[in-house]
Amino acid sequence: MKVLLLNGSMHRNGTTYAALAEAARTLEAEGLETEIFQIGPGLIRDCIDCRKCTAEGCIFTDDPVNDFVARAKEADGFIFGTPVYYAHPSGRVLSFLDRAFYSSKKAFAYKPGAAIAVARRGGTSASLDAMNKYFGITSMPTVGSSYWNMVHGMDGEEAKLDIEGMQTVRNLAHNMAWLIRCIEAGKANGVPQPVMERGSRLNFIH
């Protein structure tokens, strides 16, 4: 069983990474495999609604989106981390997730997801609200914790000093591990995935 963690910051070892690393350590102590996927500092394309998605994901291959999608297909759960910019997730993580989810929804469906927002001070709850919407539209159970999944700090070392924030991240990881095990137990006992209704889409209000 594996959890894929996404660092939505261009900084590979900053505050967002510190929070994700704490979650990864806890998941590994629970016996799960983890991988922290770095978006990195390169350019990230926006989704342009070209509707030319491929079996590998997005038609554009000049950034890491399809690499992430390939790993997502093999993962059992996800934690997406974002820094907070102007009380909002980073633009690059939203562009990244727009294309990953639009092109490869099946890679995420029915797998647990959670988001962590990291800020110097404010904007974390608004950022979590934006990130959690990906789970709601993709049939993903959203994993909670003992408080909102937020960590505060100006850099990675300060983030580690947020005792309550790091505790919240660890509790999130314990809950993630538990839910993944529950889903695996359901599969082993013949519990099927839900069958989704399709076809009723209104583009205007009657």
Side-chain angles (χ1 to χ4, degrees):
M1 294 178 287
K2 181 176 180 177
V3 176
L4 185 59
L5 302 93
L6 178 69
N7 182 3
S9 171
M10 67 179 294
H11 302 292
R12 292 181 177 272
N13 295 292
T15 52
T16 305
Y17 178 82
L20 292 174
E22 188 76 4
R25 281 190 290 271
T26 305
L27 288 163
E28 289 169 3
E30 287 269 7
L32 277 68
E33 183 182 353
T34 68
E35 178 184 0
I36 298 178
F37 189 96
Q38 304 275 8
I39 287 181
L43 296 176
I44 303 294
R45 286 179 177 267
D46 287 327
C47 180
I48 59 172
D49 193 29
C50 66
R51 306 189 186 187
K52 295 180 181 179
C53 307
T54 72
E56 286 72 39
C58 182
I59 192 171
F60 298 109
T61 59
D62 54 355
D63 62 21
V65 168
N66 287 352
D67 187 14
F68 180 77
V69 165
R71 297 163 195 254
K73 291 176 180 178
E74 305 301 321
D76 300 291
F78 303 91
I79 300 177
F80 302 142
T82 182
V84 175
Y85 300 148
Y86 291 93
H88 202 255
S90 73
R92 63 195 299 100
V93 76
L94 295 181
S95 294
F96 191 97
L97 292 176
D98 281 353
R99 287 172 49 228
F101 274 77
Y102 190 88
S103 68
S104 307
K105 192 171 185 178
K106 290 181 180 179
F108 303 95
Y110 305 109
K111 299 175 182 179
I116 298 174
V118 182
R120 184 191 69 82
R121 196 156 182 85
T124 46
S125 58
S127 296
L128 289 173
D129 179 66
M131 297 288 282
N132 286 342
K133 287 182 171 65
Y134 291 98
F135 313 135
I137 201 171
T138 317
S139 299
M140 296 174 69
T142 303
V143 182
S145 184
S146 49
Y147 195 64
W148 307 115
N149 304 328
M150 57 180 69
V151 174
H152 292 86
M154 191 64 181
D155 55 36
E157 292 305 310
E158 276 195 5
K160 295 174 185 177
L161 299 177
D162 182 0
I163 297 172
E164 183 179 5
M166 289 300 186
Q167 174 183 272
T168 301
V169 167
R170 290 191 296 272
N171 288 335
L172 167 65
H174 288 307
N175 289 346
M176 174 73 72
W178 173 80
L179 185 53
I180 289 174
R181 290 196 186 97
C182 288
I183 292 172
E184 289 300 310
K187 291 177 183 177
N189 285 278
V191 179
Q193 289 181 347
V195 177
M196 301 295 291
E197 291 188 24
R198 299 293 183 188
S200 298
R201 296 185 66 186
L202 293 180
N203 296 322
F204 58 90
I205 302 298
H206 291 281

